[in-house]
Amino acid sequence: SGSGTEKDPFIISRPEELALLAYRVNKGGDMSGKYFALGGDIDLSGKKWSPIGYSNRYLQNKYQGYAFNGVFDGKNHTLRGIDEKESGYLSGLFGIAEDKAVIKNLSVCGRIENTNTDGYGVAAMIRAAAFGNVLRRCPFPARIPLHMPAESAA
């Protein structure tokens, strides 16, 4: 429900609705100026997860692909049970969030593992802040095993 405005955001209440947002962003949907809010806690246990925002390459100091660039307000709710094992460039709840994106008031609990041996792919809830967007009040109590190439291990 909702119209996607600041006063009437799209409400996401089920895992399928969150997956639909990921699908639309990952197919090139522009979310700038659109507002999303969680309608309650969501349990992703047992669900396959594809991050919101996709990239399969890194060129000229920028990920090439589709980024989330809207406003996502968790309304102090929790996304539980994310269990992702990824070998691509980025993993996490949000794969790429750029430009004017705002991600706020959201807790994410679960496990994120990236097996990319190039050393890319740290959890994107953390990575999102590196692109100049705003990440506010988003604790991330998840297990994040990292796999680094043997030559870079100390």
Side-chain angles (χ1 to χ4, degrees), residues 13-51:
S13 299
R14 300 180 333 204
E16 297 80 11
E17 294 167 336
L18 192 61
L20 181 59
L21 173 61
Y23 175 82
R24 288 184 175 162
V25 170
N26 296 347
K27 292 296 182 185
D30 181 10
M31 301 299 155
S32 60
K34 294 190 170 73
Y35 291 77
F36 301 85
L38 286 186
D41 292 352
I42 294 180
D43 189 353
L44 297 173
S45 297
K47 310 270 188 218
K48 177 162 175 35
W49 180 249
S50 294

Side-chain angles (χ1 to χ4, degrees), residues 83-99:
D83 187 3
E84 182 187 8
K85 185 171 185 177
E86 177 65 48
S87 62
Y89 280 97
L90 301 169
S91 52
L93 179 63
F94 289 87
I96 304 176
E98 288 186 351
D99 300 326

Side-chain angles (χ1 to χ4, degrees), residues 1-152:
S1 68
S3 61
T5 65
E6 186 173 8
K7 291 184 182 199
D8 186 30
F10 293 120
I11 303 298
I12 297 173
S13 299
R14 300 180 333 204
E16 297 80 11
E17 294 167 336
L18 192 61
L20 181 59
L21 173 61
Y23 175 82
R24 288 184 175 162
V25 170
N26 296 347
K27 292 296 182 185
D30 181 10
M31 301 299 155
S32 60
K34 294 190 170 73
Y35 291 77
F36 301 85
L38 286 186
D41 292 352
I42 294 180
D43 189 353
L44 297 173
S45 297
K47 310 270 188 218
K48 177 162 175 35
W49 180 249
S50 294
I52 301 168
Y54 169 79
S55 175
N56 62 359
R57 63 181 183 230
Y58 186 77
L59 297 171
Q60 300 174 355
N61 296 321
K62 184 173 175 137
Y63 287 99
Q64 307 297 307
Y66 302 108
F68 176 77
N69 54 4
V71 176
F72 191 97
D73 188 349
K75 298 285 185 182
N76 297 314
H77 293 294
T78 300
L79 288 170
R80 288 184 173 75
I82 190 167
D83 187 3
E84 182 187 8
K85 185 171 185 177
E86 177 65 48
S87 62
Y89 280 97
L90 301 169
S91 52
L93 179 63
F94 289 87
I96 304 176
E98 288 186 351
D99 300 326
K100 297 176 182 164
V102 175
I103 302 164
K104 62 184 180 179
N105 305 319
L106 173 67
S107 293
V108 179
C109 299
R111 180 179 174 272
I112 295 172
E113 181 174 358
N114 189 294
T115 60
N116 184 321
T117 58
D118 291 334
Y120 299 103
V122 177
M125 275 298 289
I126 297 164
R127 181 180 297 281
F131 287 105
N133 49 24
V134 178
L135 190 59
R136 299 183 200 146
R137 294 176 298 281
C138 294
F140 189 64
R143 181 172 168 247
I144 309 170
L146 298 176
H147 299 270
M148 298 300 289
E151 61 270 9
S152 65

